[in-house]
Amino acid sequence: MPAASRPRKTVIVTGGAGFLGSHLCDRLLGDGHHVLCVDNFYSGTKDNVLHLLDDHRFELLRHDVTVPLFVEGEEIYNLACPASPVHYQFDPVQTVKTNVHGAINVLGLARRIKARVLQASTSEVYGDPEVHPQVETYWGHVNPIGPRACYDEGKRCAETLFFDYHRQHNVRIKVARIFNTYGPRMQVNDGRVVSNFIVQALRNEPITLYGDGTQTRSFCFVTDLVEAFIRLMDTPDDLTGPVNLGNPVEHTVRELADKIVALTGSRSAIVHKPLPMNDPVRRRPDISQAKAVLGWEPKVGVDDGLKQTIAYFDELLKKGPAALEHR
Ligand code: NAD
Ligand code: UDP
């Protein structure tokens, strides 16, 4: 349905001051909705939504989703959770709480106010996958006691809770399994590969390649992902997902490093660092379901998306240290 003919709603976005959440807030406001952005600024920043604060349809609430919340709205996007391994492993107990208590609180809210609720799940539910490309029917290969488990198992338990609230309490759910997504407003110190490599390349500092760089990922540009979110939320109630959302074009991390060095014209050298424990070897989404049920596939190629992301970081870094204080 074209945006103009869609009814106006109040939409709650938890994690709305983060990378994905802030782009989602932009899009929802652009579509004419009211947005309540809920965030505790653990890995996001007010700077990401500063440009929205004067919009009377936008409201920003500092709140931790591990605590119940009592607000009103017709739709909820549950994005609250640090997504970078560096951030989610910094305080793993909090990561589990955010995923599990956060899901319970958000689902309780959805139940009370009869809202539709979309969960930002992740390709990490597949762990270090033995099935390639990853299909939604694959149950995954996760180390339950490793350093990534706070996130992987937290997200898996959140999916369990979403489906149990759906079956037991008829909550209308949508579960999106998001694969690596990148773009402007990732933090300079985010720790994820795209932002790390771009910032290192722009500063002509060594590019930190973990392991031999043969591990693969598939990189989706943020605007494509947000489009998929909106389409998934708009599907009929019987479509719960999980639905894989991501770009099916697979690259080695080494290829990504070479590409970023070439696109930035950087003098950076590549240095090898140890591969983090349980780092998935291969990752690529099978997006047949998203194509069939959402009529969606990514439009932005990796070169184009990287150029837009490089332009963002280039401008930010040129502003100097003061501009980076909160990023
Ligand atoms: P991000 O870290 O930029 O954003 C997460 C936001 O959640 C931040 O603003 C943070 O402050 C907020 N938050 C964290 N804990 C919270 C809490 N307890 N209460 C309230 N707010 C809290 O990460 P992102 O890339 O924007 O990811 C958004 C969501 O999408 C996350 O749930 C993540 O797991 C999921 N996801 C992202 C990707 C990706 O590649 N970007 C891939 C898979 C899944
Ligand atoms: N990576 C890297 N150098 C970095 C950051 C990440 O080589 O500075 C690698 C990391 O080991 C992984 C891939 O890039 O194989 C993607 O890492 P990221 O943290 O972005 O996300 P993940 O998909 O592992 O959650």
Side-chain angles (χ1 to χ4, degrees):
M1 199 189 296
S5 50
R6 238 183 269 140
R8 305 269 156 101
K9 293 172 225 147
T10 296
V11 184
I12 300 157
V13 182
T14 77
F19 157 55
L20 291 182
S22 63
H23 286 277
L24 178 61
C25 290
D26 285 349
R27 169 64 190 267
L28 290 165
L29 289 165
D31 286 355
H33 301 299
H34 292 253
V35 172
L36 174 59
C37 169
V38 178
D39 206 298
N40 69 349
F41 306 119
Y42 181 83
S43 55
T45 159
K46 206 171 171 182
D47 284 359
N48 283 339
V49 290
L50 214 51
H51 60 292
L52 302 177
L53 293 180
D54 286 340
D55 189 327
H56 71 280
R57 288 176 295 118
F58 181 77
E59 213 176 330
L60 177 61
L61 175 66
R62 179 192 277 267
H63 179 85
D64 188 318
V65 293
T66 61
V67 177
L69 70 166
F70 298 89
V71 289
E72 303 298 324
E74 286 85 51
E75 290 178 351
I76 309 170
Y77 289 84
N78 186 36
L79 272 60
C81 179
S84 159
V86 176
H87 291 155
Y88 71 64
Q89 289 172 27
F90 175 75
D91 186 349
V93 173
Q94 173 68 12
T95 301
V96 175
K97 285 183 183 167
T98 292
N99 277 307
V100 178
H101 296 187
I104 292 170
N105 291 329
V106 166
L107 285 158
L109 172 67
R111 185 182 175 201
R112 276 196 305 278
I113 64 176
K114 298 188 176 19
R116 269 189 183 177
V117 56
L118 183 149
Q119 166 68 354
S121 190
T122 168
S123 53
E124 285 283 325
V125 300
Y126 302 123
D128 190 2
E130 295 152 310
V131 169
H132 191 82
Q134 290 78 58
V135 282
E136 289 90 346
T137 46
Y138 176 48
W139 290 354
H141 181 225
V142 174
N143 174 1
I145 57 168
R148 297 176 86 98
C150 57
Y151 184 75
D152 298 12
E153 297 291 17
K155 289 282 186 183
R156 285 167 69 93
C157 186
E159 285 201 11
T160 306
L161 286 161
F162 267 71
F163 278 86
D164 283 338
Y165 268 77
H166 174 65
R167 283 185 291 253
Q168 197 176 334
H169 298 303
N170 298 315
V171 173
R172 294 174 297 152
I173 62 158
K174 311 280 173 193
V175 175
R177 288 187 181 154
I178 307 163
F179 285 64
N180 298 63
T181 302
Y182 69 99
R185 298 196 200 135
M186 295 181 91
Q187 289 188 58
V188 167
N189 66 351
D190 183 276
R192 282 178 278 187
V193 68
V194 174
S195 45
N196 268 12
F197 285 1
I198 291 178
V199 170
Q200 290 161 348
L202 288 171
R203 288 174 165 164
N204 293 306
E205 290 172 356
I207 306 262
T208 53
L209 190 62
Y210 301 162
D212 61 6
T214 54
Q215 70 272 32
T216 68
R217 295 293 186 273
S218 308
F219 299 100
C220 185
F221 191 63
V222 60
T223 50
D224 280 331
L225 206 273
V226 168
E227 176 64 32
F229 272 169
I230 302 286
R231 289 187 189 210
L232 179 57
M233 186 61 106
D234 276 354
T235 52
D237 286 347
D238 60 353
L239 199 143
T240 56
V243 181
N244 285 342
L245 301 179
N247 192 317
V249 181
E250 186 178 357
H251 297 275
T252 65
V253 172
R254 172 76 208 211
E255 280 164 9
L256 180 77
D258 291 340
K259 213 178 243 311
I260 289 173
V261 169
L263 288 171
T264 50
S266 174
R267 299 189 303 279
S268 293
I270 288 176
V271 296
H272 290 269
K273 299 266 180 185
L275 190 67
M277 189 179 170
N278 297 145
D279 199 280
V281 177
R282 297 185 76 188
R283 182 182 289 159
R284 170 157 69 98
D286 180 317
I287 60 162
S288 314
Q289 215 200 131
K291 280 186 183 167
V293 298
L294 308 179
W296 173 87
E297 63 184 313
K299 289 197 166 63
V300 183
V302 76
D303 281 61
D304 185 10
L306 286 176
K307 280 181 196 158
Q308 293 187 51
T309 313
I310 290 166
Y312 166 79
F313 279 112
D314 194 27
E315 196 178 325
L316 190 66
L317 295 180
K318 278 181 183 146
K319 285 183 186 158
L324 304 181
E325 223 166 76
H326 307 292
R327 296 198 176 262

